[in-house]
């Protein structure tokens, strides 16, 4: 197995069970992410350096319009996909094994958590990782301290209020807030 085969396994909805080859590769990818984020988070970097380090982390070329304010944390890194003109504020945590897809012109506030892994509810399988992607549309604003859970899609032009816990899809052009997040109003 290699990282591309692991990503294909995840994209197909396969579980990541402790002791299996996908789990071993996920752990190796986590160590890689720790090395890269340690470099990113320890010391000052010019914006161009931040983009270069983030490109190394994601294994994709990051557009020059991208802006990230470290520190930034991830335990995987190579399944995050960033559009153009994306802003990520400091202290964010991306658990991207299941895949994080962020559309153009999205703003992500301080300490936002994007999670793409759940665990099996059955006690005998509790260690199994169940990845599911997060899709964030274009022109989305995610407020500070929000948490988005696995499998959620946030529609274009939506706003996620600060501190919201998003457990279900967010329709385009709406504002959601609360725990769990509910539609508060429309913006279009």
């Amino acid at each position: 197995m290699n990282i591309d085969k692991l990503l294909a396994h995840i994209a197909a909805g396969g579980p990541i069970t402790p002791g299996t080859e996908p789990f071993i590769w996920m752990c190796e990818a986590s160590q890689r992410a720790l090395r890269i984020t340690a470099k990113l988070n320890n010391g000052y970097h010019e914006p161009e350096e931040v983009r270069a380090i983030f490109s190394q982390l994601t294994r994709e070329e990051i557009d020059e319009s991208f802006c990230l304010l470290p520190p930034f944390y991830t335990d995987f890194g190579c399944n995050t996909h960033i559009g153009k003109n994306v802003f990520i504020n400091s202290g964010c945590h991306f658990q991207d094994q299941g895949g994080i897809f962020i559309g153009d012109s999205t703003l992500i506030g301080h300490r936002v958590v994007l999670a793409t892994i759940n665990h099996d509810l059955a006690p005998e399988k509790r260690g199994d990782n169940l990845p599911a992607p997060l899709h964030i549309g274009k022109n989305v604003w995610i407020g500070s301290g929000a948490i988005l859970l696995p499998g959620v899609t946030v529609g274009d032009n939506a706003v996620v209020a600060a501190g919201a816990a998003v457990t279900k899809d967010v329709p385009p052009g709406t504002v959601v807030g609360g725990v769990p997040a509910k539609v508060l109003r429309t913006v279009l």
Side-chain angles (χ1 to χ4, degrees):
M1 181 166 272
N2 60 35
I3 195 66
D4 293 319
K5 289 182 181 178
L6 173 60
L7 292 171
H9 173 80
I10 291 168
I16 302 172
T17 303
T20 65
E21 197 171 14
F23 184 84
I24 293 165
W25 272 93
M26 183 179 73
C27 291
E28 287 189 27
S30 293
Q31 292 304 306
R32 175 187 170 276
L34 289 172
R35 286 190 299 274
I36 295 169
T37 55
K39 179 179 176 183
L40 176 67
N41 294 334
N42 291 299
Y44 174 77
H45 301 285
E46 295 290 335
E48 299 79 23
E49 292 175 284
V50 170
R51 284 192 299 276
I53 294 168
F54 206 80
S55 292
Q56 180 186 6
L57 179 66
T58 63
R59 300 181 338 135
E60 294 182 354
E61 188 67 30
I62 299 298
D63 190 77
E64 66 181 26
S65 63
F66 173 76
C67 182
L68 167 72
L69 300 181
F72 173 83
Y73 306 97
T74 184
D75 57 359
F76 196 66
C78 52
N79 207 3
T80 293
H81 311 278
I82 306 283
K84 295 179 180 177
N85 201 36
V86 169
F87 174 77
I88 301 173
N89 219 323
S90 63
C92 291
H93 295 250
F94 286 16
Q95 181 194 46
D96 68 318
Q97 287 90 337
I100 294 173
F101 301 85
I102 300 173
D104 296 345
S105 301
T106 288
L107 307 171
I108 299 177
H110 290 91
R111 299 178 296 100
V112 166
V113 175
L114 303 180
T116 67
I117 293 271
N118 265 327
H119 290 279
D120 201 298
L121 291 177
E124 66 278 5
K125 293 184 177 184
R126 188 68 43 85
D128 287 4
N129 294 276
L130 307 174
L134 278 171
H135 293 273
I136 300 168
K138 296 178 181 179
N139 300 310
V140 171
W141 174 20
I142 301 173
S144 295
I147 300 170
L148 282 70
L149 297 180
V152 167
T153 295
V154 179
D156 293 348
N157 303 305
V159 176
V160 175
V166 181
T167 61
K168 297 182 184 197
D169 289 352
V170 176
T174 61
V175 177
V176 299
V179 179
K182 295 179 180 158
V183 174
L184 303 175
R185 61 178 277 211
T186 60
V187 292
L188 296 176

